[in-house]
């Protein structure tokens, strides 16, 4: 009976065309408060600092591909030793992913970013001073741990601090820094780590996390800073506090408790999006870009430049389109683009094997890679993380986020581990398999993924909680 009453307090109802939250949320229209619509300097700074964290993570993932020959030559590594170095990051990432949700719940989103930046800096220092394989691997492991934390805490922090009408655009730009930096890793270095270290002194903690742990004065102060000192935050603050108080009456679920029927839909969506993001083949492209260029007869430097340049306008365009067309629609379009990119890449290998149209094969392959990477930058790289940060109620967000993050890292390892074996079997078949996974992903999104555009986190989570009761 108590659970039923709590569920009723979280219902979302439709009244006169506007969503209103009944009982626990007060009686104001969600669109009535101006507090949820402003862009402030503090909000932009917070988004920039978070983007530095995401960019640093993308650099961690991508720099090893263009640096492979230099590292092997400088340290005299064997192919096996370099393979350990390249893959050990995923081990650190999985460990970071497993604890990311709980750590962010215990010490807060901002302090978790402090922790991940410390691991980034330690990792780079270890690699810089490495004279042999063991310190090199230790540094790479540390970088992977920081990256594992980044994948959860950055979208979670951004989704919790950003007004509903800006949340998708700002979060998508920040998370799109990861695939961008994968492609330009050989140019950038670890500068984002230093910017992150400096910027964390000036950004506020997530107001929703502060409300969750009962630090009411700090919660209101942080929300006021993010929305602007002259903005009335009373309605938004009241809605967040009422929702948090109601949801916390439900006992916090442990990880094993998440596998109950009432959470099945949310977990299927979250885990499915993580599988889709990785099985589309990103890390096959990212970790082995040099090898793909060599197979196609394209100079590596030329290939990296051609692939990298279109991603910058794609990121900007994606941040606009996500609020215009919604997460679900843009995700379906960009996953379709990934499917097309994989098909073009696979087709170029087919033509190469048959000795047909050889003069056009490099162009066709580059076109496939560009289509894939632009599609990833437009939506696939960021939208799954945005949706995951939005759909889980606060009482299960940490545990559920850790599971989704860990699944993502396991899939990352699986794709990177199997890529060489698949290419040895059939280069064309490898990319046709990735394209098929993207096609299945379109069907998955159409059938199961909810649209979260234009609603507050409390509205999204309340409506999904209602669906599951």
């Amino acid at each position: 009976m108590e659970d039923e009453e709590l569920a009723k307090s979280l219902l979302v109802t439709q009244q006169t065309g506007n969503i209103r939250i009944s009982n626990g949320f007060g009686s104001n229209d969600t669109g009535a408060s101006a507090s949820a619509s402003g862009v402030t300097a503090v909000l932009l700074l917070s988004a920039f600092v978070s983007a530095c964290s995401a960019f640093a993570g993308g650099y961690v993932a991508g720099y090893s591909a263009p640096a492979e020959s230099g590292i092997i030559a400088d340290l005299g590594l064997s192919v096996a030793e370099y393979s350990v170095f390249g893959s050990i990051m995923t081990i650190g990432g999985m460990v970071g992913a497993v604890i990311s949700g709980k750590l962010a719940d215990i010490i807060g989103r901002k302090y978790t970013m402090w922790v991940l930046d410390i691991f980034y800096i330690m990792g780079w220092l270890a690699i810089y001073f490495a004279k042999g394989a063991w310190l090199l691997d230790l540094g790479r492991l540390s970088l992977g741990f920081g990256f594992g934390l980044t994948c959860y805490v950055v979208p979670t922090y951004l989704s919790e601090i950003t007004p509903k009408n800006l949340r998708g655009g700002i979060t998508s730009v920040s998370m799109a820094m990861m695939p961008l930096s994968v492609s330009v890793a050989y140019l950038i270095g670890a500068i984002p780590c230093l910017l992150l270290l400096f910027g964390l002194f000036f950004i506020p903690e997530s107001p929703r996390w502060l409300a969750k742990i009962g630090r009411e004065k700090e919660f209101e102060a942080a929300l006021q800073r993010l929305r602007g000192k002259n903005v009335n935050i009373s309605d938004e603050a009241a809605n967040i506090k009422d929702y948090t108080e109601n949801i916390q009456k439900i006992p916090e679920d442990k990880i094993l408790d998440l596998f109950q029927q009432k959470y099945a839909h949310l977990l299927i969506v979250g885990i499915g999006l993580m599988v889709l993001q990785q099985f589309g083949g990103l890390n096959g492209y990212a970790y082995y870009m040099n090898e793909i260029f060599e197979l196609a007869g394209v100079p590596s430097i030329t290939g990296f430049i051609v692939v990298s340049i279109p991603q910058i306008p794609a990121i900007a365009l994606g941040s606009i389109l996500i609020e215009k067309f919604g997460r679900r629609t843009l995700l379906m379009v960009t996953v379709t683009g990934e499917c097309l990119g994989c098909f073009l890449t696979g087709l170029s290998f087919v033509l190469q094997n048959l000795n047909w149209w050889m003069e056009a094969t490099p162009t066709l392959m580059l076109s496939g890679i560009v289509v894939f990477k632009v599609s990833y930058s437009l939506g696939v790289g960021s939208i799954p993380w945005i949706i995951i940060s939005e759909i889980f109620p606060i009482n299960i967000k940490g545990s559920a986020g850790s599971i989704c993050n860990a699944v993502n890292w396991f899939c990352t390892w699986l794709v990177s581990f199997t890529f060489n074996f698949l290419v040895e079997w059939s280069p064309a078949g490898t990319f046709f398999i990735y394209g098929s996974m993207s096609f299945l992903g379109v069907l998955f999104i159409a059938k199961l993924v909810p649209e979260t555009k234009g609603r507050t986190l409390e509205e999204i989570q309340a409506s999904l909680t209602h669906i599951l009761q």
Side-chain angles (χ1 to χ4, degrees):
M1 292 293 292
E2 183 180 352
D3 287 344
E4 289 179 5
E5 290 301 315
L6 290 172
K8 289 177 182 177
S9 71
L10 301 176
L11 297 183
V12 176
T13 58
Q14 292 287 118
Q15 295 185 5
T16 63
N18 290 318
I19 297 177
R20 296 167 62 91
I21 310 294
S22 61
N23 296 329
F25 289 90
S27 59
N28 293 313
D29 288 349
T30 60
S33 175
S35 66
S37 61
V39 177
T40 64
V42 174
L43 179 61
L44 292 177
L45 177 62
S46 301
F48 173 76
V49 172
S50 301
C52 287
S53 178
F55 198 94
Y59 178 76
V60 167
Y63 90 99
S64 59
E68 178 177 354
S69 58
I71 292 174
I72 291 176
D74 289 344
L75 298 180
L77 301 181
S78 66
V79 174
E81 287 175 324
Y82 186 83
S83 296
V84 171
F85 166 74
S87 62
I88 200 171
M89 184 199 73
T90 59
I91 305 300
M94 281 188 274
V95 174
V98 167
I99 71 167
S100 59
K102 283 298 182 183
L103 184 65
D105 280 350
I106 293 171
I107 68 173
R109 285 49 166 147
K110 179 178 174 179
Y111 283 103
T112 302
M113 284 194 275
W114 277 108
V115 171
L116 67 88
D117 197 42
I118 289 170
F119 276 93
Y120 280 153
I121 293 172
M122 289 170 54
W124 287 122
L125 288 174
I127 290 174
Y128 180 79
F129 289 107
K131 301 299 181 183
W134 73 271
L135 189 57
L136 195 70
D137 292 343
L138 187 62
R140 183 76 164 161
L141 187 69
S142 178
L143 293 174
F145 183 83
F147 194 12
L149 295 177
T150 297
C151 290
Y152 172 78
V153 74
V154 169
T156 298
Y157 176 75
L158 287 171
S159 71
E160 291 180 350
I161 68 169
T162 310
K164 64 181 180 180
N165 59 314
L166 301 172
R167 189 173 62 238
I170 288 179
T171 308
S172 67
V173 169
S174 298
M175 294 307 292
M177 292 297 102
M178 284 197 285
L180 174 64
S181 55
V182 165
S183 295
V184 298
Y186 67 107
L187 296 173
I188 300 302
I191 294 173
C193 298
L194 300 177
L195 294 175
L196 174 62
L197 184 66
F198 179 73
L200 283 169
F201 285 102
F202 302 100
I203 67 174
E205 180 55 87
S206 162
R208 286 176 169 86
W209 180 78
L210 292 170
K212 177 187 175 185
I213 64 172
R215 290 158 61 174
E216 188 168 331
K217 291 183 179 179
E218 294 174 60
F219 153 68
E220 293 180 354
L223 189 61
Q224 191 73 69
R225 283 186 65 195
L226 288 164
R227 301 295 181 259
K229 64 180 181 179
N230 296 322
V231 174
N232 181 4
I233 63 167
S234 57
D235 288 346
E236 186 178 5
N239 287 346
I240 292 173
K241 285 192 290 187
D242 287 349
Y243 180 84
T244 303
E245 289 170 1
N246 279 318
I247 202 71
Q248 286 189 317
K249 292 176 184 176
I250 304 173
E252 185 170 346
D253 292 278
K254 300 177 182 178
I255 287 183
L256 291 179
D257 295 333
L258 295 178
F259 296 95
Q260 301 177 53
Q261 185 176 359
K262 63 179 180 177
Y263 297 130
H265 180 243
L266 297 182
L267 277 178
I268 289 172
V269 170
I271 291 174
L273 288 175
M274 294 294 93
V275 172
L276 166 63
Q277 188 185 61
Q278 294 304 323
F279 279 14
L282 170 70
N283 288 301
Y285 283 102
Y287 291 174
Y288 302 98
M289 191 74 77
N290 278 351
E291 184 177 337
I292 296 172
F293 289 147
E294 289 174 5
L295 289 170
V298 177
S300 295
I301 296 298
T302 302
F304 276 113
I305 292 174
V306 170
V307 169
S308 301
I309 291 175
Q311 291 183 79
I312 298 174
I315 290 171
L317 183 61
S319 67
I320 298 170
L321 296 180
I322 192 172
E323 293 300 348
K324 183 174 179 62
F325 296 107
R327 285 86 158 120
R328 188 169 173 268
T329 300
L330 185 57
L331 187 58
M332 289 179 66
V333 171
T334 53
V335 172
T336 302
E338 277 197 337
C339 181
L340 176 61
C342 289
F343 175 78
L344 292 175
T345 306
L347 180 61
S348 69
F349 281 114
V350 171
L351 295 176
Q352 188 181 63
N353 292 337
L354 296 174
N355 292 319
W356 291 354
W357 207 19
M358 293 300 291
E359 65 277 6
T361 299
T363 301
L364 185 62
M365 178 169 293
L366 271 180
S367 299
I369 297 174
V370 169
V371 169
F372 180 93
K373 299 288 278 187
V374 167
S375 298
Y376 195 90
S377 296
L378 271 172
V380 184
S382 58
I383 294 176
W385 294 110
I386 294 172
I387 293 175
I388 285 173
S389 71
E390 292 174 333
I391 63 175
F392 292 112
I394 199 166
N395 66 312
I396 64 167
K397 180 173 275 191
S399 298
S402 293
I403 288 177
C404 293
N405 198 1
V407 168
N408 185 280
W409 276 95
F410 175 76
C411 293
T412 298
W413 171 81
L414 192 59
V415 171
S416 60
F417 178 78
T418 58
F419 181 82
N420 277 332
F421 298 103
L422 288 172
V423 168
E424 186 177 346
W425 161 69
S426 170
T430 300
F431 291 98
F432 288 147
I433 289 173
Y434 292 152
S436 299
M437 295 302 298
S438 294
F439 175 76
L440 293 175
V442 174
L443 302 180
F444 172 82
I445 296 164
K447 184 68 175 177
L448 293 175
V449 175
E451 180 56 72
T452 58
K453 170 195 168 191
R455 294 191 286 171
T456 67
L457 295 183
E458 289 71 33
E459 291 168 4
I460 295 166
Q461 293 155 13
S463 66
L464 291 173
T465 301
H466 173 51
I467 290 171
L468 297 172
Q469 295 296 328

